[in-house]
Amino acid sequence: MKAVRLTIWDRQAETFNAGVGAVFVGKHLKIAEFQGRCLTSTLLSSFLINPQIREAILIQEWWNNLDQDMLFDHLSSISDMIAIQPTSLLRKIKEIHDFTKEKVERFNTQATVLTIRDNPTYPACPRPSCRKRVTPCDGQWYCEKCRSSFSHPKYRYIMKCCIADFTAELWVTIFNTQGETIFQRPALQYETLKVLSRLTVG
């Protein structure tokens, strides 16, 4: 018997509602090598929970009849997995975590955004598999990674922010999904409002 860790990101994680013992079907998952073999969702991933198809029904019957004490061989390293801790104060986070090392560290906190450095949006490649910044070129937008030109970019959030609670301040990088939560609008709408405000002032 084999078990593997699956990491689901962004909005897919917010809407994923499979309980313990549920059967789900996942499409467009990525096989990754991080602390062993694991799976991770992508922008193209989709999930069906308890679909009424033959394969899912057979898996559900197998699970229901399974000895609950049976041990699985884990393709992912369980010993190295870091559990998400309860909400922590920023002062404690800065004392415990070493942000100079290239190591994934997770924590929960509640803080206020004090400062957002520079422009929080950028023009990105519109291809779902690419998020690289594109540059204007001859009336088009050119992606160096894809080596392709597009008529319009897809604006995304990426911002360097200073957050604070009553104990300390901390500089963090916030990406697109979290940026939409903070500004309550997609990056394209933010960019449009910014351009309109400049025209109004001018």
Side-chain angles (χ1 to χ4, degrees), residues 1 5 17-18 20 46-47 55 57 63 66 76 82 89 100 105 118 127 133 145 149 165-166 182 184 193 196 198 202:
M1 299 291 182
R5 184 176 73 253
N17 59 356
V20 176
S46 59
F47 300 94
E55 292 82 356
I57 294 173
W63 174 261
L66 188 68
S76 310
I82 304 172
L89 298 176
T100 63
E105 298 193 61
D118 303 325
R127 288 183 174 174
R133 181 183 295 270
K145 178 183 178 181
S149 295
D165 60 15
F166 68 94
I182 291 174
Q184 294 295 297
L193 292 173
L196 290 175
R198 289 176 178 174

Side-chain angles (χ1 to χ4, degrees), residues 88-105:
S88 302
L89 298 176
L90 291 183
R91 175 181 56 80
K92 182 63 66 175
I93 291 171
K94 295 175 72 172
E95 290 175 355
I96 296 176
H97 296 275
D98 185 358
F99 297 102
T100 63
K101 295 182 179 180
E102 294 184 0
K103 177 183 177 182
V104 176
E105 298 193 61

Side-chain angles (χ1 to χ4, degrees), residues 139-151:
Q140 299 278 303
W141 293 86
Y142 179 73
C143 176
E144 186 173 348
K145 178 183 178 181
C146 298
R147 298 186 181 277
S148 300
S149 295
F150 306 93
S151 58

Side-chain angles (χ1 to χ4, degrees), residues 18-138:
V20 176
V23 177
F24 73 91
V25 176
K27 293 179 62 178
H28 297 291
L29 300 178
K30 178 182 177 181
I31 300 176
E33 295 285 347
F34 178 73
Q35 299 174 350
R37 187 69 61 85
C38 61
L39 298 174
T40 182
S41 67
T42 68
L43 292 175
L44 299 177
S45 296
S46 59
F47 300 94
L48 290 176
I49 311 299
N50 293 321
Q52 294 303 303
I53 58 176
R54 180 176 179 274
E55 292 82 356
I57 294 173
L58 290 175
I59 292 176
Q60 187 70 71
E61 292 177 352
W62 166 80
W63 174 261
N64 292 338
N65 296 320
L66 188 68
D67 182 357
Q68 298 303 309
D69 294 327
M70 181 172 292
L71 298 178
F72 288 80
D73 292 330
H74 289 274
L75 299 178
S76 310
S77 175
I78 300 301
S79 60
D80 293 334
M81 292 176 63
I82 304 172
I84 298 180
Q85 301 298 319
T87 301
S88 302
L89 298 176
L90 291 183
R91 175 181 56 80
K92 182 63 66 175
I93 291 171
K94 295 175 72 172
E95 290 175 355
I96 296 176
H97 296 275
D98 185 358
F99 297 102
T100 63
K101 295 182 179 180
E102 294 184 0
K103 177 183 177 182
V104 176
E105 298 193 61
R106 297 178 176 89
F107 55 85
N108 289 343
T109 190
Q110 292 182 353
T112 300
V113 177
L114 295 183
T115 305
I116 299 177
R117 181 181 295 171
D118 303 325
N119 185 8
T121 65
Y122 75 100
C125 178
R127 288 183 174 174
S129 59
C130 181
R131 302 176 182 178
K132 294 295 184 180
R133 181 183 295 270
V134 294
T135 56
C137 180
D138 297 329

Side-chain angles (χ1 to χ4, degrees), residues 142-176:
Y142 179 73
C143 176
E144 186 173 348
K145 178 183 178 181
C146 298
R147 298 186 181 277
S148 300
S149 295
F150 306 93
S151 58
H152 296 90
K154 177 178 176 62
Y155 281 93
R156 299 179 61 86
Y157 287 109
I158 183 170
M159 60 190 101
K160 193 77 172 178
C161 296
C162 180
I163 62 174
D165 60 15
F166 68 94
T167 65
E169 298 178 358
L170 182 67
W171 282 94
V172 298
T173 300
I174 296 176
F175 296 97
N176 190 63

